[in-house]
Amino acid sequence: MIITERDALNKLTQAPEVKHIILTGGTDTAQSILRAKPTTSLSAETGGKDVIIVTASADMDHAIMCACHSAFGNAGQKCSSCSLLLVVERSVYDRPEFREKLRDCATSMKVGGVWNAGNVVGPLITNKNEKLLKALSTLEDGEEWLVAPRWVDKKHYILAPTVKIGVKPLNYSFRTELFVPMLSVAPFDTLQEAIDLVNGLDYGLTSGIQTLDENERRYWHDSVMAGNLYINRGITEAIVNRQPFGGMKLSAFGPGIKAGGPNYCQQFTIITVKPDSTTDYKKSYAEAWESEFRRPRDWNHIHGEQNVFRYLPLKGGMALRLFKDDPDTLAEMVALAAHLCGTPLTVSIDPSDKREDLSEKLSELGAGTKVESLASFIESMPSYERIRTCSPDIPVEMYQRAAATNRFIVTDAPVKDGRVELIHYLKEQSIAFEYHRYGSGQDKEPKIEEEYTF
């Protein structure tokens, strides 16, 4: 009997003995695991279509160096590798010196086998990738090669750095995850336009900006939707604790808790409230919000590079589906937690479940109430960023819908400890700012509270 790789994956991921799966891999693989067994607890760091924005206020030499290092190091096969370079403004993009410097930087990188330690760009894992072949063999309307594809070896495993310019937002190379040493370059008139295009991508893993303008920097990091942000440096090589790693949107599956961060192990635990607990959850939630979640922080204090870790509300909202056996008090705990975190909450209640008094209490905490059948709620699940229940004992149709639409259901019962509970209503973000250039402290270190409070 021959067991294929896919057979082995299915047996491992669907085995009843397996309670939680950790995956670093492709988005398609994560989706396959969830859809094969929707009740699986999955924590997955998946794909990315990672972007660096370069503005007219950038140190252009430094920006080009960072973009090339991020795009071509590891042959572009890191999930955090830069594959899009968005240039703001068009006048910068059209300058012959900009294109000449980008070409020179790309073509000067050493390419070859891994046995020569001086080579920066090595072999691809596979050259049978259909996405790769299409991107390298096709020029769409307006596109041209600044640096044309060039295979270094006879078997076509080592591809030299490649640069495609004139790439438009709807083009194949703009939106497709490729894992190759190819950089697509596109011009934009405004920073807002470039950010909108970044946020319109399916992925949200890493993103960077190159600018010496403080206002541009602040506007960008408070607008762009990605898990790891980088300012005036490359967007690869995250370090544990310094830049906890993990994305948003289709770059992450599960609770979205970052590897290398302070909360990573919590997702593998089951925490319950002791029957005799006297903890005042209202006080605990408020204290945890003030001491842990409200303020961004830098634990490392490295001179020349600031590394900020912060929590963001779920702007897309959360839905709590209540079932008849769920006590009102649990709904009130969820509503208070969401209210403190700034996450919009909708509490979904079945028409047969009469809870008029609860609706009034929830309203006081800013939560909406929606009376609807289970079928209607399941249909509406994709309209929320995250789903909440008070128990994992829920209809399997909810799990199936979540798996089919890439949504995560928090099934842990609400607890009284705010440090444990509030993490469910937030998402994590890392921001690395290299405020020196060429080893000198030419930019001053920003104050965290002034710069990064969302």
Side-chain angles (χ1 to χ4, degrees):
M1 179 181 178
I2 298 176
I3 298 178
T4 66
E5 181 180 340
R6 177 60 60 183
D7 291 334
L9 177 66
N10 289 338
K11 285 190 175 294
L12 283 171
T13 58
Q14 296 184 46
E17 295 83 1
V18 175
K19 303 302 181 185
H20 199 116
I21 297 171
I22 306 170
L23 169 72
T24 299
T27 298
D28 292 346
T29 303
Q31 290 171 330
S32 297
I33 290 171
L34 280 177
R35 291 166 191 179
K37 187 183 177 186
T39 55
T40 299
S41 293
L42 174 68
S43 299
E45 185 267 289
T46 50
K49 188 64 181 176
D50 306 304
V51 185
I52 292 178
I53 296 174
V54 177
T55 79
S57 300
D59 177 331
M60 203 55 63
D61 290 343
H62 183 75
I64 290 173
M65 178 186 68
C66 290
C68 287
H69 177 77
S70 301
F72 306 129
N74 299 97
Q77 295 173 111
K78 280 193 170 186
C79 56
S80 56
S81 295
C82 176
S83 60
L84 280 176
L85 183 65
L86 309 186
V87 184
V88 181
E89 306 153 346
R90 289 179 187 269
S91 60
V92 176
Y93 171 85
D94 290 331
R95 289 176 191 166
E97 57 267 32
F98 167 75
R99 299 189 183 194
E100 181 179 346
K101 287 181 178 181
L102 180 56
R103 182 191 297 110
D104 286 350
C105 189
T107 55
S108 66
M109 301 188 79
K110 293 185 178 180
V111 185
V114 297
W115 304 116
N116 184 342
N119 290 331
V120 177
V121 184
L124 297 172
I125 295 171
T126 177
N127 60 3
K128 302 295 192 296
N129 188 316
E130 292 182 4
K131 295 178 181 178
L132 156 70
L133 298 175
K134 180 175 179 178
L136 295 179
S137 62
T138 304
L139 285 174
E140 298 182 67
D141 181 44
E143 295 181 345
E144 58 182 290
W145 295 114
L146 182 68
V147 181
R150 178 175 64 89
W151 295 100
V152 174
D153 62 322
K154 293 180 179 180
K155 294 185 177 181
H156 287 193
Y157 274 94
I158 303 176
L159 177 67
T162 302
V163 182
K164 183 186 288 189
I165 62 174
V167 181
K168 299 177 182 178
L170 295 180
N171 287 12
Y172 184 82
S173 296
F174 194 102
R175 296 192 170 271
T176 307
E177 184 185 25
L178 294 172
F179 284 116
V180 292
M182 188 182 88
L183 182 64
S184 297
V185 187
F188 289 90
D189 294 317
T190 66
L191 180 57
Q192 177 65 63
E193 185 183 7
I195 291 172
D196 288 345
L197 263 297
V198 173
N199 289 342
L201 295 170
D202 292 334
Y203 302 96
L205 188 55
T206 66
S207 199
I209 191 169
Q210 293 282 332
T211 178
L212 303 181
D213 187 302
E214 292 182 10
N215 293 325
E216 287 184 341
R217 183 178 71 221
R218 186 177 294 109
Y219 180 71
W220 172 82
H221 70 54
D222 280 346
S223 303
V224 73
M225 292 187 289
N228 283 65
L229 306 185
Y230 298 93
I231 301 170
N232 292 340
R233 54 152 284 176
I235 64 172
T236 61
E237 301 174 358
I239 297 174
V240 169
N241 185 56
R242 195 178 297 180
Q243 297 111 17
F245 194 74
M248 301 177 184
K249 298 186 283 187
L250 290 187
S251 294
F253 288 74
I257 297 178
K258 288 178 172 292
N263 306 302
Y264 189 67
C265 291
Q266 181 176 323
Q267 61 193 313
F268 311 124
T269 62
I270 299 174
I271 300 173
T272 58
V273 179
K274 292 182 178 179
D276 58 349
S277 171
T278 59
T279 300
D280 181 346
Y281 77 86
K282 295 180 181 179
K283 180 180 179 181
S284 179
Y285 287 9
E287 289 176 349
W289 172 248
E290 287 294 329
S291 64
E292 176 63 30
F293 299 106
R294 181 179 180 181
R295 293 177 176 83
R297 66 194 66 190
D298 181 354
W299 296 292
N300 299 276
H301 304 292
I302 300 170
H303 182 66
E305 182 180 85
Q306 187 180 69
N307 294 289
V308 172
F309 181 81
R310 68 176 181 175
Y311 299 92
L312 304 177
L314 304 175
K315 292 295 186 181
M318 172 184 279
L320 167 65
R321 178 64 181 185
L322 280 183
F323 294 90
K324 287 188 177 182
D325 293 335
D326 296 334
D328 286 1
T329 52
L330 295 186
E332 293 173 28
M333 292 169 69
V334 170
L336 177 59
H339 177 70
L340 286 171
C341 296
T343 290
L345 177 70
T346 300
V347 180
S348 175
I349 303 173
D350 193 89
S352 63
D353 194 2
K354 307 299 182 183
R355 300 191 190 227
E356 289 80 4
D357 293 341
L358 175 62
S359 297
E360 185 175 339
K361 293 178 181 179
L362 296 176
S363 179
E364 293 174 359
L365 292 170
T369 304
K370 192 172 183 180
V371 179
E372 59 186 339
S373 67
L374 178 62
S376 295
F377 171 72
I378 291 175
E379 183 66 25
S380 70
M381 282 172 56
S383 62
Y384 302 99
E385 190 168 347
R386 193 171 293 174
I387 311 300
R388 182 97 169 79
T389 64
C390 297
S391 165
D393 298 324
I394 59 177
V396 70
E397 291 83 3
M398 285 183 61
Y399 286 112
Q400 291 171 338
R401 180 67 166 162
T405 58
N406 308 308
R407 290 296 182 268
F408 175 65
I409 304 177
V410 179
T411 58
D412 297 338
V415 297
K416 295 180 178 180
D417 188 312
R419 182 63 183 82
V420 174
E421 181 62 25
L422 265 59
I423 192 67
H424 298 308
Y425 310 85
L426 298 162
K427 52 190 173 187
E428 302 175 343
Q429 189 176 63
S430 300
I431 306 173
F433 173 31
E434 194 171 87
Y435 61 85
H436 74 83
R437 284 183 290 147
Y438 313 109
S440 62
Q442 298 183 43
D443 287 340
K444 65 181 186 297
E445 181 177 3
K447 294 181 179 179
I448 291 178
E449 284 298 316
E450 295 177 3
E451 181 80 5
Y452 297 106
T453 301
F454 191 79

